[in-house]
Every structure is written in C-alpha cells, then in structure tokens.
Amino acid sequence: MTWPTKKLGECLVLIILVWIILIPFVYVFCLWPDKSFWDNAMGNMLATVLALIAGIPIALWIDRLAKSREEHQKYLTDRKREKELLGLIKEELYFSYDSLFLKGKKGNKISVTIQPLKSDLWDSLISSEETKYIEDPNLLNRIASAYYVLKIVKRIEEQAYVALRTSAIVFTLPDGTKKNAAQLLLEDVRTFDSLFEDSIKEALKMINKRLKKLKLYET
C-alpha cells in the first residue's frame, strides 16, 4: 500500500469516527427531543453502566480462571515430561554403573574393557535443552555432576584403549618398574572409582526420590 493511499484511508476512518460522535449531538440540538427521550436515554445509560460494573469483574475473573487452568495444565504436562526424562536418565546411569562399571571396570588396572560408559542420552538432552523440564535445580546439579565424573572416566579409558592398540612405548618408573601407556592410564582412571561410584549412587538416590514425588501429579 502506497503512502497517499494509506493516508487517505486514515482520513476516511477519522471522518467516520467524527460523524459517529457528532450524530447524537446533532440530533439533540436540532430536534430538541422531549422529556421521554431523556428518560429513556438515562435509563439506557444506567443499564449500560450497571452492566459494565457487573460484567467487567466477572469477565476478568473468568479470564483469570481460564489462564490459571491453562498454567496448571501446562505444569502437569511439564511434570509428566520430567518424569519421562528422569526415568531415561536413571536407566542410562544405572546401566553405566551396574552393567559396565561394577562388572568389568571397577578396580581393573590390568585390561581395558571395550564397551565405554554410556552418556549419549544426557548429551542429547543437553543439546536439545530438555533438561529445562527438571524442576529441582539441586537434582539437575547432582545429575550433571555424576555425568561430569562419568565423562572423565570415559575419556581416560578411551585414551587407554587407543594407547593399547597403537603405542608400544614402555615407561620406566622411579621405582624401576616398567609400564606401557595403557597401564598408566588405567591406573589413573581407577583413582576416580570412589568418586564415580559415590556420584552415581547419589544421583540415582535423588532421582528415585523425585520420581516418587512426581507420582502426586499423575492424573
């Protein structure tokens, strides 16, 4: 729409509004209506005012009620999503702890296990920002801390596996013993066993506690 056309449209709207406002005054001053007209006008005006006084608060109350119900429903939906996510996180952490750590990695300074600790789900949730559904910041921090230790262990074990397959270098330690890079890395990673186990256990404990609380929001 060009500027002159837009300007013309605005002028026409203004003229129409002015005429709508002036018509009642023209009617009154030109025709001089009798007392019955004023009685009817006042009655109508009083009815309109009373309707506004009664209607506006009711309308506002209905609007607030509708918004409150929408917010409550959204909250319930978010808590349902939180429960689903925590269930998946619990499954991933428990798999890494029970199936991988306890059954092959814990205390193992001799051999490198091929299967790494699992953190794919957590990485996906972080990248998609779905961790926002976890309402309790303390729980979120505990889970993040557990994965922080898990990833440290995972990276060192990956380096040990690569060193085992690619490096034939043997290091002579101050006490005279000889060890290759893989053995040294395995010894390093085993220093995290206690921290890893404590972090995972605490995260799982808090997740279970939160899942019990979330059952209250089921409908």
Side-chain angles (χ1 to χ4, degrees), residues 170-179:
V170 176
F171 299 89
T172 302
L173 303 182
D175 61 1
T177 59
K178 297 181 181 295
K179 295 181 180 179

Side-chain angles (χ1 to χ4, degrees), residues 24-39:
F25 293 97
V26 173
Y27 177 81
V28 170
F29 287 103
C30 292
L31 299 180
W32 292 100
D34 57 12
K35 182 176 179 299
S36 62
F37 169 83
W38 292 109
D39 291 339

Side-chain angles (χ1 to χ4, degrees), residues 33-100:
D34 57 12
K35 182 176 179 299
S36 62
F37 169 83
W38 292 109
D39 291 339
N40 291 332
M42 291 301 295
N44 291 333
M45 184 177 70
L46 181 60
T48 302
V49 170
L50 292 176
L52 289 173
I53 293 174
I56 290 177
I58 294 175
L60 292 174
W61 176 78
I62 293 174
D63 181 65
R64 285 196 299 269
L65 181 62
K67 288 181 179 178
S68 177
R69 287 181 177 177
E70 289 177 2
E71 291 174 356
H72 180 65
Q73 187 59 47
K74 183 180 182 302
Y75 184 79
L76 292 178
T77 302
D78 289 349
R79 299 292 67 76
K80 180 180 179 181
R81 183 56 179 161
E82 180 185 5
K83 181 183 176 183
E84 293 172 351
L85 295 178
L86 289 177
L88 294 173
I89 292 170
K90 174 185 175 181
E91 183 179 333
E92 182 171 71
L93 287 175
Y94 188 77
F95 174 76
S96 289
Y97 174 65
D98 184 68
S99 300
L100 300 179

